[in-house]
Amino acid sequence: GQQVMQIPQYQHVQEGEDFTTYCNSSTTLSNIQWYKQRPGGHPVFLIQLVKSGEVKKQKRLTFQFGEAKKNSSLHITATQTTDVGTYFCAGASGNTGKLIFGQGTTLQVKP
Amino acid sequence: DGGITQSPKYLFRKEGQNVTLSCEQNLNHDAMYWYRQDPGQGLRLIYYSQIVNDFQKGDIAEGYSVSREKKESFPLTVTSAQKNPTAFYLCASSTLAGGYGYTFGSGTRLTVV
């Protein structure tokens, strides 16, 4: 079945350093979504990418969707302590709306 | 305020008992989902429903059951057949195409004692 792999599993950075998490799917995706889960909380939708090669920015966050629509990345510039949490990518294939989540990358930021 | 509500927040179950987790949404979303979250394993899909009175198994449906009698409600029953039920359970809803992402509830933490 479809699998979505995400690396790294954990990342510890000093505040101000950059951070990147990568997501790879075993199949071509119709879209990919990114979520953030704060410690003790629930996942919150960040963004959806649909087009091949698409790049979207939200302040210090940059999201990319690969040309083959099988991989994606999230890059955070100059991390802050408020960025702490687990970032999940989730891929959809077809038009069912059903998402397969990656394992997540847990980000720790040292002040 | 539109949203999705899960209850209870914490639930303790004795081995051999069935328990039902509640999930209600007032977002007028057609699709609803149940995920299980374990440390280091991300979110795994248990069941999903795209229309009332219809639902499909996800990747880990064994030991679970659901119903979708109303658009707003998608309760999950964890049966005694589920061998390792201790986990964090998340309910979510979305439009059918999912273009605006999933809205998640705050989750139910189930512990078997």
Side-chain angles (χ1 to χ4, degrees):
Chain A
Q2 180 188 357
Q3 288 188 317
V4 176
M5 307 299 292
Q6 196 174 346
I7 58 169
Q9 188 171 1
Y10 299 99
Q11 185 83 58
H12 295 249
V13 300
Q14 197 73 38
E15 189 173 21
E17 292 181 338
D18 292 356
F19 160 76
T20 304
T21 174
Y22 300 91
C23 186
N24 285 284
S25 170
S26 58
T27 59
T28 302
L29 300 170
S30 56
N31 70 77
I32 194 155
Q33 299 179 13
W34 285 90
Y35 292 79
K36 177 182 179 181
Q37 184 176 23
R38 295 183 186 276
H42 57 275
V44 174
F45 174 70
L46 294 176
I47 206 161
Q48 176 177 271
L49 303 171
V50 178
K51 299 176 183 176
S52 169
E54 190 169 14
V55 178
K56 287 189 176 181
K57 293 190 176 184
Q58 289 180 349
K59 297 183 179 178
R60 295 178 293 104
L61 277 61
T62 301
F63 304 84
Q64 293 188 317
F65 200 10
E67 294 290 341
K69 300 183 75 172
K70 295 180 74 172
N71 63 288
S72 181
S73 65
L74 158 60
H75 179 82
I76 302 178
T77 303
T79 54
Q80 300 175 358
T81 54
T82 53
D83 295 325
V84 164
T86 300
Y87 293 85
F88 292 97
C89 62
S93 55
N95 57 1
T96 65
K98 187 180 76 167
L99 291 176
I100 303 298
F101 281 78
Q103 302 94 320
T105 296
T106 299
L107 172 64
Q108 298 276 13
V109 179
K110 289 178 281 188
Chain B
D1 268 350
I4 183 165
T5 302
Q6 288 187 245
S7 62
K9 193 175 177 69
Y10 298 96
L11 187 56
F12 296 88
R13 188 194 95 173
K14 292 183 179 179
E15 284 191 23
Q17 286 183 338
N18 293 354
V19 288
T20 298
L21 282 57
S22 170
C23 179
E24 304 274 337
Q25 56 100 359
N26 61 3
L27 298 165
N28 199 33
H29 285 167
D30 288 299
M32 297 187 74
Y33 313 85
W34 274 104
Y35 284 88
R36 171 181 170 141
Q37 187 172 31
D38 296 283
Q41 294 196 47
L43 281 70
R44 292 183 289 167
L45 183 63
I46 305 173
Y47 269 98
Y48 67 103
S49 168
Q50 296 180 308
I51 195 169
V52 174
N53 293 323
D54 189 43
F55 47 82
Q56 285 76 43
K57 293 181 179 180
D59 300 318
I60 56 165
E62 186 175 350
Y64 300 97
S65 66
V66 293
S67 63
R68 187 88 186 273
E69 296 177 2
K70 298 186 301 182
K71 185 176 183 178
E72 301 79 17
S73 178
F74 192 40
L76 173 74
T77 297
V78 184
T79 75
S80 56
Q82 169 50 236
K83 297 305 178 191
N84 185 23
T86 295
F88 188 46
Y89 291 89
L90 286 158
C91 180
S93 68
S94 75
T95 58
L96 271 182
Y100 297 100
Y102 285 12
T103 301
F104 281 87
S106 55
T108 293
R109 195 165 296 278
L110 173 63
T111 303
V112 174
V113 296

